[in-house]
Amino acid sequence: METVEMNSVSLKRPHSEDDLDEIKRQKISENSKTGNDSGQSIETGTEQPDKSLLEDTKNEIIPNEEGEEQEDEELEDSDEDGDSESFADMMKHGLTESDVGITKFVSSHKGFSGILKERYSDFVVHEIGKDGRVSHLDDFSVPVDDEDPSEETFTVLSDDDKQRLEELQLLKNKETSVAIEVIEDTKEKRTVIHQAVKSLFPGLETKTEDRDGKKYIIAYHAAGKKALANPRKHSWPKSRGSYCHFVLYKENKDTMDAINVLSRFLRVKPNIFSYMGTKDKRAITVQEIAVLRITAQRLAHLNKCLMNFKLGNFSYKNHPLKLGELQGNHFTVVLRNITGTDDQIEQAMHSLREIGFINYYGMQRFGTTAVPTYQIGRAILQNNWNEVMDLILKPRPGAEKGYLVKCREEWAKTRDPAAALKKLPVKRCVEGQLLRGLLKYGMKNIISAFGIIPRNNRLMYIHSYQSYVWNNMVSKRIEEYGLRAVPGDLTLKGATAVHIEEGDVDNYTIHDVVMPLPGFDVVYPKHKIGEAYKEMLVADNLDINNMRHKIRDYSLSGAYRKIIIRPQNVNWEVVAYDDPKIPLFTTDLDKLEGKPLPVLPTDGKFRALKMEFSLPPSTYATMAIREVLKMDTSIKNQTQLNTTWLR
């Protein structure tokens, strides 16, 4: 097997009109820790953090890479600011694959072009649970027991009643109670209203009062703000599992955004939801979610009022879900308007199935602006806190929201946290959190100021640096030794890494070889690449033999990662089509709704490659597709090669 140097092949993107409208409306795609949504790439959705950093990690809503929580969506969508630069112009300052060490291919076929994610429905992800079961939405039925409220519970309250009760529940006004008149005064009617208030507004209690000869249901807070954080315990049947598990089918929404939407409609805190992995926005994704003490009936009711979501396959269990507790994800991907010959496609897909692809960390790991996330991570590891502050806050060329640009300009001009913070309408972004920290702790205590940023965001930076080192070292390893196991390589025996000895080398293949992410609890290869690790870290003013940081959170123990991934369940077919807007396969929802697959012509104007494959956690589907097409997956490269579709 030979390695092939990377050549840039244009990924032409003749977007459909609805996608162009979306680009104009959104302009700048946000990154999350586990993947961005540029329209080019998606990650399997389950990052494996450095093992030393897992101990305190909670399964919480993680802001995206710019730190903005999704409840600011309306503000973000409307923030055009009349930017004079086009997205393509701004992305000239972004990263290419070679900037982050992605330079090699393993297959020998000639690359060809295709349109990746022309429509979000061309990219479908199904989660694979730890038991190997692929999550599908195929059942809308609701498990019923005697404790469930009646359907009338959801309709008995008027919109005005619901508005007043929500304000009371969230302590948004000075009222201490809300009175709801019982128009048809029967015991049954009063019972339904009591149930409706308690079911729909956790934290509120009710009582019945006579006022001027009329019956009223009085809602009031039982425990103030604490009631919001602690869902009702006394009203949940002991015989029922405390967690309702369900399958979430979503279109063009990322997981954190979806959780925030669900929590707003249910009027609960987002942290009562748990899940095994985050899924990206520009795709159709199917995954399992668990929520604490919310009935399946109440969840199913959301199907009547939510766009781009469907909930189903409900069950009650005694446990939540934990990040990383999955086998991986199954992908169904359509590459439209492909140019490859049948022979090229067969070679590419056979190679993907038999050899696999280099297990690089994808471009979404490193950010979209001229300040890559790995640079901030390196400064943290160097204990250079002034540089950390500068890298996060300084002006930078590249694709950013207008208000962030103004905030950075103010910071550069005044170095005044209060003045810069005034330029930010969205205070929960990383920049806003750091500025708040600087206001609180002062410019001489940047460490404490930085600590205000949510832990997962802080760790994202050092994970990015580890990924940057790993990508570069793997490219060197493949350049030096090719696609075979050699003495001095590492392989795993259980969870322990051991060196491959000269006499045993024939017992291993390239698929057995792992390489370390740098840390204090890993060993390095015994050949040239071991020295290359040390040289790279020395150049970055870091000591490979002392990866412990004085702040425990930033001490890297390291981890091991396979250098080649061979996808499972690989299948493909080439189909012809005329209309770029028609779907080329049926989704779970299509099947539930009985929608037939469109009849495709045998000799259409265009050809598409439909491919399916399964990947383990912490691997990037983008890198598998890169191996098939032989293309640079960076936004910078795509926009520079194909600027006309954005103008």
Side-chain angles (χ1 to χ4, degrees), residues 238-403:
K238 292 181 180 179
S239 60
R240 180 196 287 165
S242 293
Y243 294 87
C244 184
H245 287 229
F246 62 94
V247 169
L248 172 65
Y249 171 102
K250 63 182 180 63
E251 299 183 358
N252 210 26
K253 289 279 186 184
D254 65 47
T255 300
M256 283 78 76
D257 189 8
I259 294 297
N260 282 319
V261 169
L262 293 177
S263 64
R264 285 204 299 274
F265 272 83
L266 293 167
R267 301 177 180 89
V268 295
K269 291 289 188 182
N271 61 7
I272 70 171
F273 290 87
S274 58
Y275 46 88
M276 295 183 288
T278 58
K279 305 290 182 282
D280 280 284
K281 177 181 178 182
R282 192 171 168 77
I284 292 174
T285 70
V286 183
Q287 68 183 116
E288 189 173 349
I289 305 287
V291 59
L292 177 64
R293 295 192 180 95
I294 299 292
T295 65
Q297 185 184 30
R298 191 171 163 199
L299 291 165
H301 194 72
L302 297 180
N303 286 330
K304 300 176 182 178
C305 51
L306 289 180
M307 297 273 294
N308 300 326
F309 298 112
K310 288 294 178 184
L311 286 63
N313 297 79
F314 302 102
S315 62
Y316 293 110
K317 298 181 181 178
N318 288 316
H319 60 85
L321 296 170
K322 294 182 180 178
L323 279 172
E325 276 194 341
L326 72 168
Q327 280 193 17
N329 294 277
H330 184 74
F331 295 86
T332 304
V333 179
V334 170
L335 302 176
R336 292 184 184 250
N337 199 20
I338 53 172
T339 62
T341 65
D342 289 344
D343 187 51
Q344 284 176 306
I345 293 165
E346 286 297 306
Q347 284 185 46
M349 294 308 298
H350 274 288
S351 175
L352 183 67
R353 184 168 63 189
E354 302 303 322
I355 303 173
F357 62 96
I358 303 171
N359 193 21
Y360 288 123
Y361 287 96
M363 295 303 297
Q364 55 266 51
R365 186 79 161 175
F366 304 103
T368 57
T369 70
V371 179
T373 52
Y374 73 79
Q375 289 184 5
I376 300 170
R378 179 169 56 201
I380 293 169
L381 295 173
Q382 291 169 342
N383 214 30
N384 188 344
W385 294 100
N386 281 306
E387 185 174 357
V388 171
M389 177 178 68
D390 190 45
L391 287 171
I392 292 174
L393 295 177
K394 72 178 182 180
R396 58 180 72 173
E400 282 207 303
K401 299 273 182 203
Y403 54 76

Side-chain angles (χ1 to χ4, degrees), residues 587-607:
T587 65
D588 286 358
L589 186 59
D590 292 334
K591 293 171 185 174
L592 271 170
E593 294 178 346
K595 290 183 182 178
L597 185 68
V599 178
L600 299 174
T602 54
D603 189 24
K605 290 187 292 185
F606 309 108
R607 294 160 71 238

Side-chain angles (χ1 to χ4, degrees), residues 411 414-422 434-439 442-443:
W411 173 257
T414 65
R415 304 284 284 188
D416 180 350
L421 200 57
K422 285 181 181 177
L434 178 56
L435 289 168
R436 281 207 309 269
L438 292 170
L439 268 176
M443 298 284 284

